[in-house]
Amino acid sequence: MQVMSSSPSLSPAFNNFSGAGKFSYEFGLKLRLKDEEPDKEEEEEEEEEEEEEEDNMGSESYEEAIAALSKLLSDKADLGSVAAAKIKRITTELEAAVADQTKFDPVKRIETGFLHFKKEKYEKNPDLYGALAKGQSPKFLVFACSDSRVCPSHILDFQPGEAFIVRNIANMVPPYDKTKYSGVGAAIEYAVVHLKVENIVVIGHSCCGGIKGLMSIPDDGTTSSDFIENWVSICAPAKTKVKSESNELSFSEQCNNCEKEAVNVSLGNLLTYPFVREAVVNKSVALKGAHYDFVDGKFSLWNLDFQISRFHPL
Amino acid sequence: MDTQSAEVGVEEGPNKIFISQQQVVDEEVQAKVEMLIAELHGTKHHPPNDPDAQKLDHGFHFFKTNIFDAHPEYFSELAKGQSPKFLVIACSDSRVSPSVVLNFKPGEAFVGRNIGNMVPQFDQLRHTEIGAVIEYAVKSLEVDNILVMGHSRCGGIERLMTLPDYTQTYDFIDEWVKIGLPAKKKVLQEAGDLPFAEQLTLCEKESVRNSMVNLLSYPFVRNAVVNGTMIVRGGYYDFVNGSFEQWKMCTH
């Protein structure tokens, strides 16, 4: 694996990082794509193919060796116990080596993933990506859960440039608080004031671990996590509502209701941000709630209507 | 047969009445009529003048038809539980969804997205949002990798490098991007003579490294890294040139 630095002027400072004590950086695999011309890429692909072939050949020869050794063990039943034990040990080591070669490689996974995107999307839509490189103008701000199964790009087929997306545990929007919730505030502020999105959509989902966590917090309020329970308590009003209205339902049904009620709590919290309230009143931003059920394959969507009526003096 | 004619009646009836009684279309009434028809049909319906709602419905329909229904076993397994190997911290920027850029399928990556893909230091008062994401990924899901993914033309980094700005202040943005101040400082020290555009690129990458270091301030992250069960990685997506580079943090 080649170790290359990405920026000569900064690399010396990065190879030995003193701040965190015993940890340091290593510049791992750097894809050469950005410096290459198209024909060099082909060469690269060939090289990669060759490497792959070598790997495959390697595992083939391992497997052949294992097969031969196993055969030896079974054929020569009268082998001395020491010899047999040795053969067994070697066989086990070889099997482990084969398993290693097919083990998940995160670096390769990331590399392959990007190459797929580059070939199938980036290079096939030069106009779109050329325009996007200059700037973004998404119409949607979306709050979705961090859950690996509910990415809005998948479930709502958002294309690059269409949706500004915040993802956190249980897709929650906390109320305006410059100290406690600057991250969410910054995202909403950037989307509404700077990007001028037209919709804010909060999407809940089935089997949400965060909501289950909220529903599992004991009544005396004792928590055992560093952050999670504190964070999901943002939607405690949803839990209260669900428990009071559907106490006879099973726990999982209550959780399902809470997933939707929590979306409504978040929608209400959005209105505590003055720039959101103003935009909603002006009708330049619409607030929507949604719930994605990946058990049944369903999606429901609803609006939050908010207006301030004319003041009539008595 | 009876049902068919009833449906026709349902659809044509109100419309016939409507058209015969008024020449000028009243939008609100039209909307109400259509909603009534939809309710009678038992179908979901959105106000006709809400193309954005329709776009969301169409998007889901595309996913449902082409992906969800096309792989029933995959999704029924996934419904039982997730076991992603990655936690990805990416920017909220509409152009840098990790699912798209790195071709992650449903179930492969637990994702946190915020302005500037930043990880602040462990702070139970100020940063519960990101803390909860990391905690859940590391403790509950036991991910093998955390990838902090930066990108080109990042608005958050640009704001960081532009501060202080006496002509415009924000309620939240300025406070948030200050998480990246160590990165800015480093860039100004070592590349202060370079053009601003180049400083921005350097800072985008430096901020990823800063976030990677901040990850270690979370005890559960540090433990997993020290035990060798998790690796902290950094990445940079350049959508101007169409490239992606990645690096990892090593321990010894």
Side-chain angles (χ1 to χ4, degrees), chain B residues 48-73:
Chain B
N49 48 356
D50 191 349
D52 293 330
Q54 273 155 14
K55 187 234 186 321
L56 296 174
D57 281 337
H58 290 150
F60 180 71
H61 182 77
F62 179 89
F63 162 74
K64 176 99 193 330
T65 320
N66 296 299
I67 302 176
F68 190 89
D69 289 340
H71 303 95
E73 283 110 40

Side-chain angles (χ1 to χ4, degrees), chain A residues 67-79 84 87:
Chain A
L69 280 172
S70 306
K71 188 167 189 296
L72 191 64
L73 263 177
S74 58
D75 282 353
K76 307 276 175 182
D78 57 341
L79 269 181
I87 292 175

Side-chain angles (χ1 to χ4, degrees), chain A residues 86-160:
Chain A
K86 236 186 189 164
I87 292 175
K88 198 158 173 60
R89 203 192 70 227
I90 295 171
T91 313
T92 315
E93 279 171 23
L94 282 173
E95 279 171 345
V98 170
D100 264 357
Q101 286 182 342
T102 49
K103 199 171 70 171
F104 179 79
D105 181 350
V107 172
K108 204 130 184 92
R109 173 61 189 83
I110 292 168
E111 213 184 294
T112 320
F114 180 72
L115 286 173
H116 182 273
F117 158 72
K118 176 153 181 172
K119 189 165 151 239
E120 299 301 325
K121 295 194 178 158
Y122 188 88
E123 285 170 347
K124 287 189 177 171
N125 297 287
D127 290 340
L128 170 67
Y129 286 93
L132 286 178
K134 297 187 187 127
Q136 57 170 334
S137 52
K139 281 177 137 196
F140 294 87
L141 161 61
V142 175
F143 282 86
C145 186
S146 295
D147 192 302
S148 64
R149 301 166 285 189
V150 305
C151 175
S153 306
H154 291 138
I155 70 171
L156 295 176
D157 194 39
F158 277 122
Q159 300 306 305

